[in-house]
Amino acid sequence: QACDGGEAGDAAVLLLDRFQGNIPTRDAYGSYLSSDGTCYVDILKSIGMIENEEEEEVSSTSSSSSSMVQITNWVVIPYRDDVAMKHALLKKGPLSVAFNVVDESLYYANGVLDVQSCSKNEAVDLDHAINVVGWGVDTLDDGTEAQHWILRNSWSTLWGDSGYFRVRMGERDCGVTTSAGFPEVKVVVSKKKTTGLEEESSGISRES
């Protein structure tokens, strides 16, 4: 449902139910277009995610591991919990969040977005799916310090601070901690020989 009510967690559950959690890589499927559309069925067929028109399911024999990653679960971060969010960021990397796109955020260029309108942060206020990638500390006009979230947007690198922006942590976070989560990703371990010795290496990043 994209920006008309779609949620990352619901999408993950659908992928788990329909495709055993398999997701095409960007190289195999193509990059994000920031527009409504339908799935590229021909690409999904070519990498083994769809066997035929009548029965859309993963082919366990024909799927290409180099063209897909596999999620095994979707983890929901506790509602409005800054500490839980920080812990998940440290352990899992970038997280999926929903955001309330207030008017002030449309024209963001730099600094920390810290506006009263961002206090509207309930689930019904959220209308944009992005990633939180970290947090930081900044100094306010009165000399005190405050924390902020660092987010990666999807409006190209021409928007904001090269595609990123910062928003005040706490009540004015525009919903960053309202509906956050991350996928658990199956890690493929391969063995490769280096100078006669076998060495294990992980083939899939944990980045969400």
Side-chain angles (χ1 to χ4, degrees):
Q1 292 178 312
C3 292
D4 298 320
E7 294 186 4
D10 290 344
V13 170
L14 180 64
L15 287 164
L16 288 164
D17 289 344
R18 295 284 297 277
F19 302 110
Q20 298 178 8
N22 288 299
I23 304 173
T25 63
R26 179 180 296 183
D27 288 342
Y29 191 78
S31 60
Y32 176 64
L33 298 178
S34 188
S35 62
D36 290 346
T38 56
C39 292
Y40 297 152
V41 176
D42 55 337
I43 296 177
L44 299 182
K45 285 182 178 180
S46 70
I47 62 175
M49 280 187 65
I50 295 179
E51 288 188 334
N52 53 60
E53 295 291 345
E54 292 75 27
E55 187 177 1
E56 297 185 353
E57 59 182 20
V58 174
S59 168
S60 58
T61 57
S62 62
S63 60
S64 170
S65 60
S66 62
S67 301
M68 289 184 282
V69 294
Q70 186 179 27
I71 64 172
T72 58
N73 189 26
W74 181 264
V75 179
V76 176
I77 298 171
Y79 171 83
R80 308 293 302 159
D81 190 330
D82 292 344
V83 175
M85 179 80 85
K86 291 177 179 178
H87 180 77
L89 273 168
L90 283 172
K91 294 294 184 179
K92 299 297 181 180
L95 308 173
S96 171
V97 300
F99 189 80
N100 177 13
V101 182
V102 297
D103 290 343
E104 295 90 340
S105 67
L106 296 173
Y107 304 102
Y108 173 90
N110 53 58
V112 177
L113 184 65
D114 187 357
V115 292
Q116 184 60 38
S117 56
C118 272
S119 296
K120 295 182 65 176
N121 52 36
E122 293 301 314
V124 295
D125 301 313
L126 310 181
D127 55 9
H128 186 44
I130 50 178
N131 296 127
V132 59
V133 298
W135 74 89
V137 177
D138 58 283
T139 303
L140 302 178
D141 293 338
D142 62 4
T144 60
E145 292 185 337
Q147 297 185 71
H148 57 262
W149 297 113
I150 304 169
L151 297 114
R152 178 174 60 201
N153 205 354
S154 57
W155 295 342
S156 87
T157 56
L158 300 178
W159 176 89
D161 186 1
S162 298
Y164 291 78
F165 71 109
R166 296 178 288 166
V167 66
R168 178 62 61 218
M169 191 180 295
E171 276 304 306
R172 293 187 172 190
D173 70 355
C174 266
V176 170
T177 57
T178 300
S179 182
F182 61 89
E184 290 183 336
V185 181
K186 182 177 181 180
V187 178
V188 177
V189 177
S190 60
K191 289 187 176 182
K192 59 183 179 181
K193 290 186 177 180
T194 56
T195 62
L197 299 175
E198 288 191 345
E199 180 180 278
E200 289 190 350
S201 63
S202 170
I204 297 179
S205 169
R206 293 181 304 174
E207 182 172 332
S208 57

